[in-house]
Amino acid sequence: MGLPERALQTFCWAQKQPQLFPDDRVLASTVEVLARDHELKMPFNLEKFTSLASRGVIEAMVRGFIRGGSLRLARKVLLVAKDGKRMLDSGVYAKLILELGKHPDKQMLVVALLDELGEREDFSLSQQDCTAIMKVCIRLRKFEIVESLFNWFKQSGRDPSVVMYTTLIHSRYSENKYREALAVVWEMEASNCLIDLPAYRVVIRLFVALNDLSRAVRYFSKLKEAGFSPTYDIYRDMIKIYMISGRLAKCKEVCKEAELAGFRLDRETTSWLQFERDKRLGF
């Protein structure tokens, strides 16, 4: 609700209730709210604070700074905690990596945090955090880390979700490893994951890169059979592969379908179509 003053008032009230206090969860919650809303005064001696505070309180402070956009302070607390041999939860690192990954100028900080995570013996991440880090690594073109995280997750005895499979396919596609990405598609299908729209989108793009018209068409049909409406970039990919295959009639059919769905063809796509028409007419 963004009410740091009320949070502090509630904390002060809880302190006077023997059945509620002391309780680190109450303190941690208050610290997180104050940090998130920029109302938390940083202790002068941060090293002493991290040595005395519980792990839950330190992590709450970091989470609050992250949610409040104070990424520099969040990173500072992590560094001080690390120097003081205080091991914080891997999920806190994941959340900071995810936020820093949104800023191109913070790439070096992200790499440093990834290195710190990789050095930990008690490495543990939820599937959501693991997938989020994989997506950041794709933007940074750290494809080897994406592969390592996926392998670690499977070796931990858990089954990847469709989102994690899609992320790995996208990573290999981005690295131009199309055949390797295709192997992940078959693994995803064999796992009986319920394929969602982003997965169809990535897989169709992969088939276009492989110039595999029959499979692109099959997945385009499966997408609609599953009740999804194609996005514009899916229509664009289908127009492209039909055009490359010389199927101009099918190109027109997909163009008409896209326009009926409310999309307007972009200039590049219309130029492609005009070029192919002219080429076939001998112009």
Side-chain angles (χ1 to χ4, degrees):
M1 295 174 68
L3 299 172
E5 289 184 10
R6 289 298 298 272
L8 193 56
Q9 289 168 6
T10 306
F11 174 73
C12 292
W13 172 83
Q15 278 186 306
K16 299 172 184 177
Q17 313 305 314
Q19 71 274 25
L20 296 178
F21 205 81
D23 187 335
D24 261 7
R25 292 171 301 177
V26 178
L27 176 58
S29 297
T30 308
V31 166
E32 184 169 346
V33 173
L34 294 175
R36 185 185 65 197
D37 290 278
H38 312 288
E39 294 291 338
L40 182 68
K41 292 184 178 179
M42 287 289 286
F44 180 76
N45 191 333
L46 193 56
E47 292 79 3
K48 185 177 180 180
F49 168 79
T50 53
S51 68
L52 296 175
S54 69
R55 172 174 165 171
V57 171
I58 299 171
E59 290 173 354
M61 178 184 285
V62 177
R63 285 195 304 270
F65 283 142
I66 293 171
R67 292 186 64 186
S70 302
L71 304 183
R72 184 183 61 80
L73 288 175
R75 176 59 177 151
K76 184 177 180 180
V77 175
L78 283 182
L79 285 172
V80 173
K82 181 187 175 187
D83 291 342
K85 309 298 182 187
R86 302 298 303 275
M87 297 298 291
L88 304 185
D89 186 76
S90 301
V92 175
Y93 281 81
K95 287 175 175 56
L96 184 55
I97 287 170
L98 182 59
E99 289 303 314
L100 288 170
K102 297 174 183 178
H103 306 277
D105 59 325
K106 301 290 193 299
Q107 180 174 339
M108 295 305 296
L109 283 175
V110 174
V111 173
L113 285 167
L114 288 169
D115 289 341
E116 288 175 29
L117 265 184
E119 293 169 0
R120 294 179 60 145
E121 294 180 1
D122 64 336
F123 185 76
S124 177
L125 288 172
S126 68
Q127 180 158 205
Q128 184 178 3
D129 285 339
C130 190
T131 306
I133 292 177
M134 288 168 66
K135 290 178 180 179
V136 171
C137 289
I138 293 172
R139 290 200 293 270
L140 298 178
R141 303 192 68 78
K142 297 288 182 180
F143 302 118
E144 70 285 353
I145 299 179
V146 177
E147 298 286 340
S148 296
L149 285 168
F150 183 79
N151 291 332
W152 166 80
F153 187 84
K154 287 184 67 179
Q155 288 165 9
S156 68
R158 292 175 284 177
D159 296 323
S161 66
V162 65
V163 180
M164 184 173 277
Y165 275 123
T166 302
T167 303
L168 183 61
I169 294 167
H170 177 53
S171 176
R172 293 185 180 181
Y173 170 86
S174 301
E175 201 178 359
N176 298 325
K177 291 184 175 180
Y178 303 140
R179 292 294 170 187
E180 291 87 343
L182 191 58
V184 184
V185 175
W186 306 147
E187 183 180 331
M188 179 174 68
E189 282 201 336
S191 72
N192 293 318
C193 280
L194 189 63
I195 301 179
D196 58 9
L197 183 59
Y200 278 115
R201 181 182 174 193
V202 170
V203 171
I204 289 172
R205 181 157 294 177
L206 172 63
F207 289 139
V208 172
L210 288 165
N211 198 20
D212 192 333
L213 176 62
S214 61
R215 284 184 174 137
V217 171
R218 181 161 64 89
Y219 269 78
F220 186 61
S221 297
K222 285 174 67 175
L223 176 156
K224 290 188 279 189
E225 288 168 7
F228 295 114
S229 299
T231 57
Y232 177 69
D233 55 343
I234 292 176
Y235 279 123
R236 194 171 185 266
D237 284 336
M238 292 306 300
I239 292 168
K240 182 179 180 181
I241 196 166
Y242 274 130
M243 192 166 19
I244 291 170
S245 304
R247 305 280 296 277
L248 289 184
K250 279 291 185 181
C251 270
K252 291 178 182 177
E253 187 180 311
V254 177
C255 287
K256 186 175 180 180
E257 184 181 328
E259 288 170 348
L260 288 172
F263 297 112
R264 184 176 179 180
L265 298 181
D266 60 87
R267 186 177 297 176
E268 186 178 0
T269 302
T270 52
S271 296
W272 284 347
L273 292 167
Q274 188 61 50
F275 175 76
E276 287 296 325
R277 289 194 194 100
D278 291 348
K279 188 169 69 173
R280 292 186 181 279
L281 291 171
F283 293 130

